[in-house]
């Protein structure tokens, strides 16, 4: 599925081909919460990095999150969180550990996205106390990371590589 996205001020526009375009995974970690400005984010759309086209690269900033190591120190994430320096919109994550992938933020996508039949709420052990997490029959809750990968979820739900939900 071809995705088109942009920042709020319009200085950055991008396109990429998604193999996993359904925004099902809502992350409640402090990184997503604080960099995206909300209680949680549907961040894990999966796209092919070699298809990413960007207009307005001069307005891009990159943030490498600091991740506590549990011993009072921290490590710097290899993940590159791209954002617009003009308006601060979170746009996509790229991690050189998986150079073939790019993960656009669903909130930055302008193309209509498929509606998920199920939502996975992850890293709930990091959520802010004021955040209410939906708890319907199609909501899955995980304190840490889900066992099922982004690709596995899309394959199980018949929405991998542009398939449409049946």
């Amino acid at each position: 599925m071809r995705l088109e996205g942009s920042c709020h001020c319009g200085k950055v526009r991008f396109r990429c081909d998604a193999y996993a375009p359904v925004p099902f995974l809502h992350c409640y970690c402090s990184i997503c919460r604080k960099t995206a400005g909300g209680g949680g984010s549907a961040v894990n759309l999966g796209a092919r990095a070699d298809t990413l086209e960007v207009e307005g690269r001069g307005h891009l900033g990159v943030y490498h999150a600091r991740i506590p190591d549990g011993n009072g120190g921290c490590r710097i994430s290899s993940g590159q969180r791209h954002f617009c320096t003009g308006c601060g919109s979170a746009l996509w994550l790229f991690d050189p550990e998986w150079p073939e992938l790019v993960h656009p933020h669903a909130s930055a996508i302008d193309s209509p996205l498929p509606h998920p039949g199920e939502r996975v709420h992850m890293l709930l052990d990091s959520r802010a106390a004021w955040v209410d997490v939906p708890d319907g029959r199609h909501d899955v809750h995980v304190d840490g990371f889900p066992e099922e990968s982004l690709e596995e979820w899309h394959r199980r739900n018949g929405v991998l590589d542009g398939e449409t939900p049946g």
Side-chain angles (χ1 to χ4, degrees), residues 10-28:
K11 291 180 179 177
V12 179
R13 297 191 177 286
F14 65 95
R15 289 167 294 290
C16 57
D17 293 334
Y19 67 91
V22 180
F24 75 96
L25 191 60
H26 295 255
C27 181
Y28 295 85

Side-chain angles (χ1 to χ4, degrees), residues 35-81:
T35 61
S41 302
V43 296
N44 280 0
L45 300 180
R48 294 176 182 86
D50 62 353
T51 67
L52 180 65
E53 301 170 18
V54 181
E55 297 171 26
R57 280 193 182 271
H59 299 284
L60 282 177
V62 176
Y63 175 65
H64 291 270
R66 299 171 60 93
I67 302 171
D69 64 11
N71 298 320
C74 70
R75 68 176 178 84
I76 304 300
S77 171
S78 59
Q80 302 167 8
R81 289 168 168 76

